[in-house]
Amino acid sequence: MQDWQRTHTCGALRAEHIGNDVVVNGWVRSVRDHGDLVFVDLRDRTGMVQICADASSASGLHDTLAGVKPESVLSIRGIVRRRRPGMENPRLETGSVEIAVTRVDTLNQCRQPLPFQLNDEAQMSLVNEELRLRYRYLDLRRPRLYEMLKLRHEVITSIRSFLNREGFLEIETPLFTRSTPEGARDYLVPYRLEPGLFYALPQSPQQYKQLLMVGGVERYYQIARCFRDEAQRADRQPEFTQLDLEMSFVTQDDILNLTEALTIELITTHSTKTLGSRPFTRLTYDEAIARYGTDKPDLRYGLELRDLNHLFQDTGFSVFRDTIESGGFVRGLIYPGGAGLSRKNLDDLTRFARQIGAKGLVHLAWATDSDSEAPVLQGPAARHLTADEARSLVRAMGAKPGDLILAVADSFRVASAVLGRLRCEIARHLSLAPRDVLHFCWVTDFPLVEWSEDEQRWDASHHPFTMPHLEDLEYLESDPGRVRAQCYDIVCNGIEWGSGSIRIARADIQSRVFALLGISQEIQQERFGHMLEAFAYGAPPHGGIAPGIDRLIMLLTDNDNIREVMAFPKIGGGGDPLMGAPAPVDASQLAELGLQIVPRARDSVHGGDPGSNDRA
Ligand code: ASP
């Protein structure tokens, strides 16, 4: 052991060590020079300890300590002693003791001015994120980030131990592969030996995990890196990590039950948050849209949407009547206590509703001095409603005096979506969602396909390997929009955490679904021939799911920013400010790959989602 090597970690020292001769190693958090006395806070990953030298300390130690620069790396030898009365720091676990230094080894000086003061959390929140990521190795020295990495590690360890107990095998699947569609663009890797050929980095291990099932593995998982070139958002990264799993000889319920048990174990082990419901709430897609206006409902609060068509079939209020007559819907939502909103608040709500697709927003405030037998409703639409209609409306909505009733008349889809967004806004204004609750729910039975107006074709709602409901199979060609899929999302607090499905295991059905998605027989063979072929050799019934690891850590740590829960995240369009990636390469490398850079016309640069450019 070298002289400078530690006998204790910084965070380990307590009163019981008083009198011990110890060596600690770490980074200088701060230096406080009081003339006679100099204090250094030394930090390693376990915590912090105070080092003290006084003018009478052995030769030059006082001056050495007084001269060290924050973030330098020191080895400190000294005697643990009790802090002087009144000098204890109860916020620090080592706060009752300090080390009276007898030797200082400077293992490495911090020679550069620091780009930010990482010992001040309040200041850190103001530091430009790109700068932090440029110096991520400094940023990571903050205990808060270390704790996040530790939690992430512990969560992954728990996942492994749970699934290992359940008989799963952890198996790595290739990163150099072919395109596997999950709705994003691929990242491509050129193939040197034959210019013009490319690998695609996997958007998910979807096909490999299914092939593992065909291969008889039965229970697979992987802490899988996925690569998707799509528009960046606060909760998205071009490369991210999923818990990818797949099982054979199972039904949807088996996968839901296993995932639910795993989730409950993770939350109860790694968080003090309360679970919103146990067992997890289950909603079909249709129910979720009808009640919450979204397939990612936040169930920490009620505020359900209501259908109002039955009240207004013969109304004199033409906005409602015309919509209903033309096959549309009048749907409503309560803003609790919203009758007192100002004109400006109401205008803001209406503008918001218009921005997100509504033609208008009807608002009716129930004056507090009227009762449910003769509710007095106020708002531009109020004079068009009869007393009977007003009475039935407040009843149907379950409103109370002082509430504001919001209604949208439009197609079912638009009315639901708009009210669904308003529901979230209202909950935000009224702080209805408790932060310490994680309300998980399952949303099942999504439509198999969605019509893309832009592309004028059907797109897979999840991915093309999802099994339709057997009883809907007959409509696959004649009425694709009504075919429900055996798929499910796990949603928490309004955030989609993962999706999965029972898979197609028969080549004929797989081929029909590909055809529905506009993939010709020829392209099916070229791109997915291996899947169709594999199914012809005896594929077991199988299914799986892939919850996001990054999103889970975000939920556990109350972070809205995915970059805060990854060691080295990307920024903006996918740049890594620390490594300086992406970067140009040598002309010789390009030549070797048979590649030539052709300057791109500005308007062909496209940062958005490709929708399903890659489905075919
Ligand atoms: N491959 C899907 C995804 O990445 C998950 C699954 O269906 O298991 O979202």
Side-chain angles (χ1 to χ4, degrees), residues 185-210:
R185 281 195 191 80
D186 289 321
Y187 284 100
L188 299 175
V189 180
Y191 179 59
R192 183 177 54 83
L193 298 182
E194 207 171 325
L197 299 189
F198 293 84
Y199 297 105
L201 301 181
Q203 293 188 31
S204 84
Q206 185 61 37
Q207 297 185 54
Y208 282 115
K209 67 174 170 174
Q210 290 191 237

Side-chain angles (χ1 to χ4, degrees), residues 475-493:
Y475 306 110
L476 204 54
E477 287 79 15
S478 57
D479 191 1
R482 73 180 277 186
V483 178
R484 289 162 307 148
Q486 296 189 49
C487 68
Y488 31 82
D489 276 2
I490 186 163
V491 172
C492 180
N493 295 359

Side-chain angles (χ1 to χ4, degrees), residues 28-43:
V28 174
R29 179 176 182 271
S30 59
V31 183
R32 295 183 302 283
D33 187 354
H34 295 294
D36 277 3
L37 282 176
V38 55
F39 295 102
V40 163
D41 285 336
L42 198 72
R43 182 198 67 228

